[in-house]
Amino acid sequence: MFVVTAAAQTRPKRMPREVRERQMLDAAVAVFARRGYRAASMDEIAELAGASKPLVYLYLNSKEDLFSACIRREAEALIAAVRAAVDPGAPADRRLWNGLRGFFAHTAAHPDGWAVLHCQARTHGEPFALEVGALRQQLVDVVTQLITETAADGGCTAPLPETEVAGLAHALVGAAESLAGWSNERDGAAPSEQETAATLMNFAWTGLENMAHGRRWIPIGA
């Protein structure tokens, strides 16, 4: 006859691997954001995750692999947030506005994740810079599509060349990244994601609307 001992009854159930890995990644993002990649300690990450250091190494191999996993996870979450915010059935300006709001809402809600993507990953060279570069290209692709659709739906009378659309998309993504960093790193009260998005929308939409209708600034003597 099988007898269940008191020790067996009180032994905690083993945590599923995906849950444990998520805890490790959460802890790693927090430590990397606060300490930076070089100064971050695997001991501190393991302690914050409530796991042993050998278990962290068993699941995520090395500090470099762990940092790469953090970059990929935070990048995928940011892209998903931007895509989810854009309503394909909305008017052109609302699609661009909602995409910007989705971006700033996510970076404001996940400052550690944004710090890892925007600050830490870019300062340590390959392979981390390549990971962030791939994220940036995905954002540029999303914005390129939004700009193209905006021009088409807005009754564009002066078609925008493909290279110009690409340049505008890069400029808009760069401005959004800079604004998110400025907002998240402020010592005082930070503007809301809606205020930040409105700042960039007013800047971008006015210029885009003028360009789409042939109203361009031309330097004197050009």
Side-chain angles (χ1 to χ4, degrees), residues 25 32 37 60 62-76 116-117 121 126-129 131-132:
L25 289 173
F32 284 134
Y37 175 71
L60 295 157
S62 67
K63 183 178 176 181
E64 181 178 311
D65 286 343
L66 176 56
F67 192 52
S68 293
C70 290
I71 293 171
R72 286 192 298 273
R73 189 188 75 164
E74 298 306 313
E76 289 168 2
V116 167
L117 289 175
E126 297 183 8
F128 309 134
E131 298 265 12
V132 176

Side-chain angles (χ1 to χ4, degrees), residues 168-183:
L168 289 169
H170 277 278
L172 191 57
V173 169
E177 291 171 339
S178 181
L179 271 176
W182 168 77
S183 179

Side-chain angles (χ1 to χ4, degrees), residues 46-149:
E47 182 179 358
L48 187 59
S52 67
K53 187 163 73 169
L55 187 61
V56 176
Y57 277 112
L58 176 65
Y59 278 16
L60 295 157
N61 301 321
S62 67
K63 183 178 176 181
E64 181 178 311
D65 286 343
L66 176 56
F67 192 52
S68 293
C70 290
I71 293 171
R72 286 192 298 273
R73 189 188 75 164
E74 298 306 313
E76 289 168 2
L78 176 56
I79 290 293
V82 173
R83 291 187 184 280
V86 178
D87 178 5
D93 61 331
R94 299 298 298 185
R95 289 201 295 274
L96 185 57
W97 161 247
N98 288 335
L100 290 174
R101 285 190 63 187
F103 177 88
F104 289 118
H106 185 85
T107 55
H110 302 86
D112 287 346
W114 179 244
V116 167
L117 289 175
H118 187 62
C119 303
Q120 302 302 334
R122 292 187 172 193
T123 60
H124 298 289
E126 297 183 8
F128 309 134
L130 296 178
E131 298 265 12
V132 176
L135 158 69
R136 196 171 195 278
Q137 187 56 54
Q138 289 185 68
L139 285 172
V140 168
D141 290 344
V142 171
V143 174
T144 297
Q145 182 179 354
L146 287 174
I147 291 174
T148 301
E149 293 173 351

Side-chain angles (χ1 to χ4, degrees), residues 133-213:
L135 158 69
R136 196 171 195 278
Q137 187 56 54
Q138 289 185 68
L139 285 172
V140 168
D141 290 344
V142 171
V143 174
T144 297
Q145 182 179 354
L146 287 174
I147 291 174
T148 301
E149 293 173 351
T150 294
D153 295 355
C156 179
T157 59
L160 303 178
E162 185 176 325
T163 54
E164 194 162 40
V165 172
L168 289 169
H170 277 278
L172 191 57
V173 169
E177 291 171 339
S178 181
L179 271 176
W182 168 77
S183 179
N184 285 356
E185 293 165 11
R186 284 170 60 89
D187 293 330
S192 68
E193 63 268 17
Q194 182 159 329
E195 290 172 326
T196 308
T199 296
L200 187 53
M201 184 68 186
N202 279 309
F203 179 76
W205 181 257
T206 301
L208 181 59
E209 187 176 38
N210 281 329
M211 290 176 67
H213 290 87

Side-chain angles (χ1 to χ4, degrees), residues 5-71:
T5 64
Q9 289 177 324
T10 58
R11 186 182 300 130
K13 292 182 179 180
R14 185 173 180 177
M15 188 177 296
R17 177 167 181 148
E18 62 271 18
V19 176
R20 177 59 81 185
E21 283 192 6
R22 184 169 65 249
Q23 291 178 337
M24 292 176 183
L25 289 173
D26 288 344
V29 167
V31 174
F32 284 134
R34 183 168 63 249
R35 305 283 191 204
Y37 175 71
R38 303 289 183 203
S41 161
M42 293 294 276
D43 288 300
E44 184 177 4
I45 291 170
E47 182 179 358
L48 187 59
S52 67
K53 187 163 73 169
L55 187 61
V56 176
Y57 277 112
L58 176 65
Y59 278 16
L60 295 157
N61 301 321
S62 67
K63 183 178 176 181
E64 181 178 311
D65 286 343
L66 176 56
F67 192 52
S68 293
C70 290
I71 293 171

